[in-house]
Amino acid sequence: MTISTQILPLLKEPERLENRLAEIPPEPGVYFMRDRSDRIIYIGKSRKLRSRVRSYFRDGYNKSERIATMVKLVTEIEFIVTDTEAEALALEANLIKQHQPYFNVLLKDDKKYPYLCITWSEDYPRIFITRKRQFGKEKDKFYGPYTDAGLLREIVRLCKRIFPQRQRPQPLFKDRPCLNYDLGRCPGVCQQMMPPEEYRKIVQKVAMVFQGRTQELIDILTQQMNAAAENLNFESAARIRDQISGLKSLTADQKVSLPDDTVSRDAIAVAADEQHACIQLFQIRAGQLVGRLAFVADAHAEPGAILQRALEEHYQTADSVEIPIEILVQHELPDGEILADVLTQRKGKKVTILTPLRQTKAELIEMVERNAQYELQRMQKLGDRNHQAMQDLATILDLPDVPHRIEGYDISHIQGSNAVASQVVFIDGLPAKQHYRHYKIKNPTVTAGHSDDFASLAEVIQRRFRKYGDDPQLSRLGNPDWPDLIMIDGGKGQLSSVVAVLQEMNLLEDLRVVSLAKQREEIFLPGESKPLITDAEQPGVQLLRRLRDEAHRFAVSFHRQQRSDKLKRSRLDEIPGLGHHRQKQLLGHFRSVDYIRQATTTQLAEVAGIGPRLAQEIYDYFHPS
């Protein structure tokens, strides 16, 4: 018998609840709600922690059904006191990203909408479109997500024509620039023909376009054009004139009718059904629509709370110049005052959050809401197809309910070398990439020349579910991480190895496991020698195939990454005195082993941590003659 099973919810222990509430101070900060398995299930912030937390347990408090369910599960409350509301807001956002609490509003990063990234962490920043928003480096900046990928690509293409900039992620040649330099499209970044400081000024102009500051940039360029003309530098003036003309084409036909064109505004609205919430945010600067962003979330919270979370997420990484002085919202925000105060401090000007009820601003909110409704309708159509596939899968496998969370596993290696595994997750039939996991196979018997997919799959499943081995009852407590179905890529052998390890852990009765063989798309069940009789083209089987293909793709990409890193290190490992840190320095500077081989001793010695003596060692290794 474990201690966790004896802990009762606070609602069932009024004395302990009252004592805990009395310990919470009336100061700004962040609070945590934990359940009986010690998981954080909710994170919130408040100007006065005590009154906010106490309100959850008050009988007359108007709680949504989901929050009421959450309160019944709370067994412990923790808090962190901060000096200001701004610190509480920032801390809450970071903790929600870290812990992903089940009852919080979680924006979905489903890769549907693209972002623009500017890598300010590099001396010569790159500008590119991506669907992966990863904050690996603090200085890198993401703009978006943008609803129109085609328009975003066109804007980036025009920006690269208007402002000469880096065109390639890696140099094409080691000792000379490519054709883009001769065409005037790149200032020779690969050969450092322009100082980093000057190049960053060019990139900052591009950033102003995506900050909604196009008119401000046009005004600056107009002054520079006039100054160049006064100094009889007509070639420079003509070049700036062309840049101004290109920028004006970006904002053509985007006028929005508002009473005060000088005020910068954001307008946000949400459309939701029982499952999904689609949020649209219109960015209006000087009366022009300069950006239309989109967010997706689960619709389990009140509309105001969903809008609050979207705005906090959006403005958390925004520069002060990107924050408007007026934010129009469809519904009142639960912590609108805190957000307005924080944005005011960062902006240096008064930021107002309004819920307009009539006239032009209310019409603008209605327009934003209509766009959100269109996005929701598209999502519903996709959801209907997914639901049909999940219902069909439940019928095929004789499941008691439609599977909400499905996990797929695959192994990737080359004759046992660099063996890795993937865990991919589909939620309601869609990839939930925030839950994907990689595993490096630790089994000592799996080595180069000797593979064992059966043992590797058993190891991965054991590592995935080992925390539940001591107490299988944890799986029945509404755990959002507990899968309704597990799919193994393979046939009867792979499935049998997984079934054996789940039996050892006493979890087989709590988990439904199947395998999908590649050749004939056959589905195998535990203990059955023959596959199920199915049609490879029916919706449920197609869903499993999509899951299997995604698990395979994810495993192969991780395997290639591991193999590439190993090949890079193996060449450099043979050089005396060149440790792992210096190898990273070299590869970060030269980008590849081939460029390191071509470098002179002088060029090698320029790398941080590589002196003349070690540079000579490296050079001699690649040039033994």
Side-chain angles (χ1 to χ4, degrees):
M1 182 175 65
T2 59
I3 295 176
S4 62
T5 59
Q6 300 303 309
I7 299 178
L8 295 176
L10 287 173
L11 279 178
K12 295 186 177 181
E13 294 187 288
E15 185 177 350
R16 186 164 70 91
L17 170 62
E18 188 57 37
N19 292 337
R20 190 62 182 130
L21 293 176
E23 294 171 353
I24 301 175
E27 298 183 34
V30 175
Y31 55 91
F32 309 76
M33 304 288 197
R34 293 184 180 271
D35 66 2
R36 62 186 294 189
S37 59
D38 204 37
R39 289 194 319 269
I40 296 176
I41 58 175
Y42 189 78
I43 297 175
K45 64 179 177 301
S46 178
R47 284 181 170 178
K48 294 182 178 180
L49 285 170
R50 180 183 296 170
S51 56
R52 170 60 62 84
V53 175
R54 185 179 290 275
S55 66
Y56 286 99
F57 301 91
R58 193 177 300 132
D59 291 336
Y61 183 61
N62 185 22
K63 297 187 284 288
S64 66
E65 182 179 347
R66 190 172 182 87
I67 294 298
T69 302
M70 181 270 293
V71 171
K72 294 177 183 177
L73 298 175
V74 175
T75 60
E76 185 55 272
I77 304 169
E78 297 178 3
F79 59 88
I80 298 176
V81 173
T82 59
D83 292 332
T84 64
E85 294 90 342
E87 291 178 3
L89 188 147
L91 179 60
E92 180 206 35
N94 291 331
L95 290 172
I96 288 175
K97 285 183 180 179
Q98 178 184 348
H99 295 285
Q100 298 280 299
Y102 180 70
F103 288 95
N104 277 94
V105 176
L106 301 177
L107 300 184
K108 294 183 178 179
D109 185 15
D110 61 355
K111 310 300 184 291
K112 179 180 178 182
Y113 304 110
Y115 295 84
L116 181 98
C117 178
I118 301 181
T119 58
W120 291 108
S121 59
E122 301 178 9
D123 291 338
Y124 292 93
R126 290 179 294 129
I127 301 174
F128 60 91
I129 296 172
T130 179
R131 293 182 187 269
K132 297 180 180 179
R133 192 185 187 193
Q134 299 173 338
F135 296 100
K137 296 180 180 178
E138 186 176 350
K139 293 183 179 179
D140 291 351
K141 178 68 178 176
F142 289 84
Y143 299 92
Y146 292 93
T147 58
D148 192 333
L151 178 60
L152 177 60
R153 285 192 291 268
E154 179 65 16
I155 292 175
V156 172
R157 186 186 66 81
L158 285 173
C159 285
K160 287 187 174 182
R161 289 183 57 186
I162 296 170
F163 301 106
Q165 58 189 275
R166 179 177 179 173
Q167 301 287 328
R168 294 177 174 273
Q170 302 295 340
L172 189 60
F173 307 105
K174 178 63 179 174
D175 55 350
R176 60 187 175 89
C178 65
L179 186 61
N180 285 311
Y181 174 75
D182 299 312
L183 295 175
R185 294 182 179 178
C186 175
V189 168
C190 60
Q191 302 303 314
Q192 301 183 358
M193 302 178 75
M194 173 181 281
E197 297 78 14
E198 292 299 317
Y199 182 72
R200 293 172 80 88
K201 291 179 181 178
I202 294 177
V203 178
Q204 184 58 58
K205 293 177 181 177
V206 179
M208 291 177 70
V209 174
F210 294 94
Q211 292 170 345
R213 303 165 62 198
T214 308
Q215 186 57 49
E216 181 184 341
L217 177 57
I218 290 174
D219 295 341
I220 294 172
L221 291 176
T222 301
Q223 295 176 3
Q224 294 178 355
M225 179 183 68
N226 294 334
E230 290 177 4
N231 294 329
L232 305 182
N233 190 349
F234 298 114
E235 183 178 346
S236 176
R239 185 174 65 254
I240 298 174
R241 178 204 61 203
D242 293 341
Q243 292 176 346
I244 293 172
S245 177
L247 288 170
K248 287 182 177 179
S249 70
L250 292 178
T251 56
D253 301 325
Q254 293 188 36
K255 193 76 173 176
V256 176
S257 178
L258 284 174
D260 188 355
D261 289 349
T262 64
V263 176
S264 61
R265 291 183 176 90
D266 281 355
I268 188 170
V270 60
D273 58 15
E274 294 180 354
Q275 291 183 319
H276 305 292
C278 292
I279 305 111
Q280 293 269 309
L281 189 149
F282 280 31
Q283 298 172 302
I284 300 159
R285 305 293 183 267
Q288 291 182 328
L289 178 63
V290 300
R292 184 162 72 96
L293 311 182
F295 308 90
V296 180
D298 288 327
H300 60 248
E302 297 296 325
I306 295 173
L307 295 179
Q308 173 100 23
R309 182 75 187 105
L311 289 174
E312 290 174 355
E313 173 82 10
H314 173 62
Y315 294 124
Q316 186 181 17
T317 57
D319 296 331
S320 60
V321 293
E322 300 171 51
I323 300 173
I325 62 174
E326 188 174 272
I327 302 171
L328 307 179
V329 296
Q330 177 192 20
H331 302 279
E332 288 191 13
L333 308 183
D335 291 308
E337 292 183 6
I338 294 179
L339 180 60
D341 291 345
V342 170
L343 295 180
T344 296
Q345 294 175 18
R346 291 177 52 194
K347 179 75 174 177
K349 296 180 180 179
K350 176 67 174 177
V351 175
T352 306
I353 300 178
L354 300 174
T355 307
L357 299 177
R358 58 181 183 272
Q359 297 182 344
T360 309
K361 293 180 181 180
E363 293 172 359
L364 174 60
I365 286 292
E366 290 176 3
M367 181 180 70
V368 179
E369 184 182 0
R370 283 201 307 274
N371 282 270
Q373 286 285 357
Y374 292 140
E375 287 295 308
L376 179 62
Q377 290 170 9
R378 282 195 284 267
M379 181 170 286
Q380 287 171 336
K381 290 179 181 178
L382 179 60
D384 290 341
R385 289 196 294 269
N386 286 328
H387 188 68
Q388 179 185 357
M390 289 187 294
Q391 283 184 323
D392 186 51
L393 183 60
T395 302
I396 293 171
L397 301 178
D398 193 23
L399 300 175
D401 297 300
V402 172
H404 169 65
R405 179 186 175 110
I406 311 175
E407 295 182 359
Y409 294 85
D410 190 19
I411 304 294
S412 181
H413 58 82
I414 296 181
Q415 295 182 342
S417 64
N418 299 112
V420 299
S422 65
Q423 171 198 327
V424 301
V425 180
F426 277 22
I427 303 291
D428 295 332
L430 295 174
K433 297 191 177 182
Q434 69 272 27
H435 298 302
Y436 284 19
R437 295 292 181 269
H438 286 132
Y439 296 88
K440 293 181 182 179
I441 301 303
K442 298 179 180 179
N443 191 329
T445 65
V446 179
T447 57
H450 184 276
S451 62
D452 190 339
D453 287 1
F454 299 167
S456 298
L457 280 168
E459 175 191 328
V460 171
I461 294 298
Q462 194 277 334
R463 288 164 60 182
R464 164 67 175 93
F465 294 101
R466 61 188 170 194
K467 64 180 178 181
Y468 301 101
D470 295 333
D471 187 4
Q473 296 300 319
L474 291 177
S475 66
R476 302 192 182 104
L477 298 177
N479 186 344
D481 295 329
W482 190 261
D484 300 302
L485 179 66
I486 293 175
M487 188 223 63
I488 303 299
D489 185 5
K492 290 185 290 184
Q494 286 87 346
L495 180 61
S496 297
S497 64
V498 170
V499 168
V501 74
L502 289 176
Q503 282 178 328
E504 293 177 5
M505 301 170 70
N506 297 319
L507 293 176
L508 186 58
E509 293 184 1
D510 296 277
L511 288 167
R512 190 66 186 269
V513 189
V514 300
S515 68
L516 182 65
K518 283 190 177 72
Q519 266 190 336
R520 300 178 183 175
E521 310 294 358
E522 296 175 326
I523 301 174
F524 288 91
L525 300 179
E528 300 291 336
S529 59
K530 294 183 179 181
L532 292 175
I533 300 175
T534 57
D535 181 355
E537 299 305 317
Q538 66 184 101
V541 180
Q542 287 184 335
L543 175 59
L544 281 186
R545 287 166 59 186
R546 290 198 299 272
L547 180 70
R548 188 268 316 281
D549 292 343
E550 179 70 352
H552 180 71
R553 180 200 65 80
F554 198 52
V556 168
S557 63
F558 185 52
H559 169 70
R560 287 173 178 166
Q561 175 190 330
Q562 295 297 305
R563 194 176 71 226
S564 175
D565 292 345
K566 185 176 180 180
L567 287 173
K568 287 179 181 178
R569 291 196 300 268
S570 63
R571 297 288 308 279
L572 301 178
D573 280 341
E574 300 174 8
I575 303 175
L578 193 62
H580 181 65
H581 177 71
R582 287 172 175 170
Q583 289 178 23
K584 287 178 63 177
Q585 296 287 94
L586 275 173
L587 289 170
H589 183 84
F590 289 102
R591 301 295 182 184
S592 76
V593 176
D594 290 334
Y595 284 162
I596 295 174
R597 183 192 301 111
Q598 298 172 19
T600 65
T601 54
T602 303
Q603 292 172 328
L604 290 167
E606 292 174 355
V607 180
I610 308 294
R613 184 174 177 179
L614 184 53
Q616 189 65 49
E617 291 272 4
I618 299 169
Y619 185 85
D620 291 343
Y621 171 79
F622 287 109
H623 305 85
S625 60

